Amino acid sequence: MMALRERAMVSLQSVPSLPKHVRIQYDPVRQAFAVLSPEKVFWPNEISLDILRRCDGRSTVGDIIAGLAADYDAEREAVAADVVAFLQEWSDKLLVKL
């Protein structure tokens, strides 16, 4: 029987990064950035891409939220809910390490 890995949960102190098997690459044909993993290609929207680019292994989730709120002149609480939900979903898919 295969052991289930414990689900990593996003917190403001989490320091997300992209795993080695995931990379962001520009596709000149589509004129868009793709997120490539071994078996899948994702086409994130501009804000999702902005979140992923900030997953540098140094910034905390709190830092990412503060930066996005400032850059988009948005309410920190609204940004926080979206960022945490996005990172949780991508972590669950093993596309972001926490």
Side-chain angles (χ1 to χ4, degrees), residues 11-14 16 59-68 76 83:
S11 76
L12 294 180
Q13 290 75 40
S14 300
S59 303
T60 65
V61 171
D63 296 335
I64 292 170
I65 290 165
L68 289 166
R76 196 179 163 110
V83 169

Short mmCIF file of all heavy atoms in Angstrom, two decimals, residues 11-14 16 59-68 76 83:
data_model
loop_
_atom_site.label_atom_id
_atom_site.label_comp_id
_atom_site.label_asym_id
_atom_site.label_seq_id
_atom_site.Cartn_x
_atom_site.Cartn_y
_atom_site.Cartn_z
N SER A 11 0.83 28.84 5.03
CA SER A 11 0.68 29.83 6.10
C SER A 11 1.43 31.08 5.67
O SER A 11 2.17 31.06 4.68
CB SER A 11 1.26 29.30 7.42
OG SER A 11 2.68 29.36 7.38
N LEU A 12 1.24 32.16 6.39
CA LEU A 12 1.94 33.41 6.04
C LEU A 12 3.44 33.28 6.19
O LEU A 12 4.20 34.02 5.58
CB LEU A 12 1.42 34.57 6.90
CG LEU A 12 -0.04 34.97 6.66
CD1 LEU A 12 -0.43 36.14 7.56
CD2 LEU A 12 -0.29 35.33 5.20
N GLN A 13 3.89 32.28 6.99
CA GLN A 13 5.32 32.07 7.19
C GLN A 13 5.91 31.09 6.17
O GLN A 13 7.12 30.92 6.11
CB GLN A 13 5.58 31.54 8.61
CG GLN A 13 5.35 32.56 9.71
CD GLN A 13 3.87 32.81 9.98
OE1 GLN A 13 3.06 31.89 9.98
NE2 GLN A 13 3.50 34.07 10.16
N SER A 14 5.06 30.42 5.38
CA SER A 14 5.57 29.49 4.35
C SER A 14 6.48 30.26 3.40
O SER A 14 6.26 31.44 3.12
CB SER A 14 4.41 28.90 3.54
OG SER A 14 3.52 28.18 4.35
N PRO A 16 7.40 29.66 -0.22
CA PRO A 16 7.18 28.81 -1.40
C PRO A 16 8.29 28.94 -2.45
O PRO A 16 8.93 29.98 -2.58
CB PRO A 16 5.85 29.32 -1.96
CG PRO A 16 5.73 30.73 -1.47
CD PRO A 16 6.48 30.77 -0.16
N SER A 59 11.20 34.54 -0.20
CA SER A 59 10.07 35.37 0.25
C SER A 59 9.02 34.50 0.96
O SER A 59 8.70 33.42 0.47
CB SER A 59 9.41 36.06 -0.94
OG SER A 59 10.35 36.83 -1.64
N THR A 60 8.50 35.01 2.07
CA THR A 60 7.39 34.31 2.73
C THR A 60 6.09 34.63 1.99
O THR A 60 6.03 35.58 1.19
CB THR A 60 7.23 34.75 4.19
OG1 THR A 60 6.85 36.13 4.22
CG2 THR A 60 8.51 34.53 5.00
N VAL A 61 5.06 33.85 2.29
CA VAL A 61 3.74 34.13 1.72
C VAL A 61 3.29 35.53 2.12
O VAL A 61 2.73 36.27 1.32
CB VAL A 61 2.72 33.04 2.14
CG1 VAL A 61 1.30 33.43 1.73
CG2 VAL A 61 3.11 31.69 1.54
N GLY A 62 3.59 35.91 3.36
CA GLY A 62 3.26 37.27 3.82
C GLY A 62 3.94 38.33 2.97
O GLY A 62 3.33 39.35 2.61
N ASP A 63 5.22 38.11 2.63
CA ASP A 63 5.96 39.05 1.77
C ASP A 63 5.31 39.13 0.39
O ASP A 63 5.19 40.21 -0.20
CB ASP A 63 7.42 38.60 1.57
CG ASP A 63 8.23 38.59 2.86
OD1 ASP A 63 7.88 39.35 3.80
OD2 ASP A 63 9.21 37.82 2.92
N ILE A 64 4.95 37.97 -0.15
CA ILE A 64 4.34 37.92 -1.49
C ILE A 64 3.02 38.69 -1.49
O ILE A 64 2.76 39.48 -2.40
CB ILE A 64 4.14 36.45 -1.92
CG1 ILE A 64 5.51 35.79 -2.15
CG2 ILE A 64 3.28 36.36 -3.18
CD1 ILE A 64 5.46 34.28 -2.35
N ILE A 65 2.21 38.48 -0.46
CA ILE A 65 0.92 39.18 -0.36
C ILE A 65 1.14 40.69 -0.27
O ILE A 65 0.48 41.46 -0.97
CB ILE A 65 0.12 38.66 0.87
CG1 ILE A 65 -0.34 37.22 0.60
CG2 ILE A 65 -1.05 39.58 1.20
CD1 ILE A 65 -0.82 36.49 1.84
N ALA A 66 2.08 41.11 0.57
CA ALA A 66 2.35 42.54 0.72
C ALA A 66 2.81 43.15 -0.60
O ALA A 66 2.35 44.24 -0.98
CB ALA A 66 3.41 42.76 1.81
N GLY A 67 3.69 42.46 -1.31
CA GLY A 67 4.18 42.96 -2.59
C GLY A 67 3.08 43.07 -3.63
O GLY A 67 2.99 44.07 -4.36
N LEU A 68 2.24 42.05 -3.72
CA LEU A 68 1.14 42.07 -4.69
C LEU A 68 0.12 43.15 -4.35
O LEU A 68 -0.37 43.85 -5.24
CB LEU A 68 0.44 40.70 -4.74
CG LEU A 68 1.25 39.58 -5.39
CD1 LEU A 68 0.62 38.23 -5.08
CD2 LEU A 68 1.34 39.79 -6.90
N ARG A 76 -5.14 44.23 1.14
CA ARG A 76 -4.27 43.13 1.55
C ARG A 76 -5.08 41.86 1.87
O ARG A 76 -4.67 40.75 1.53
CB ARG A 76 -3.45 43.57 2.75
CG ARG A 76 -2.28 42.70 3.04
CD ARG A 76 -1.51 43.25 4.23
NE ARG A 76 -0.65 42.20 4.73
CZ ARG A 76 0.66 42.21 4.63
NH1 ARG A 76 1.27 43.23 4.09
NH2 ARG A 76 1.37 41.21 5.09
N VAL A 83 -4.17 34.57 -2.80
CA VAL A 83 -2.82 34.01 -2.86
C VAL A 83 -2.75 32.70 -2.09
O VAL A 83 -2.20 31.71 -2.59
CB VAL A 83 -1.77 35.03 -2.32
CG1 VAL A 83 -0.42 34.36 -2.12
CG2 VAL A 83 -1.65 36.21 -3.27
#
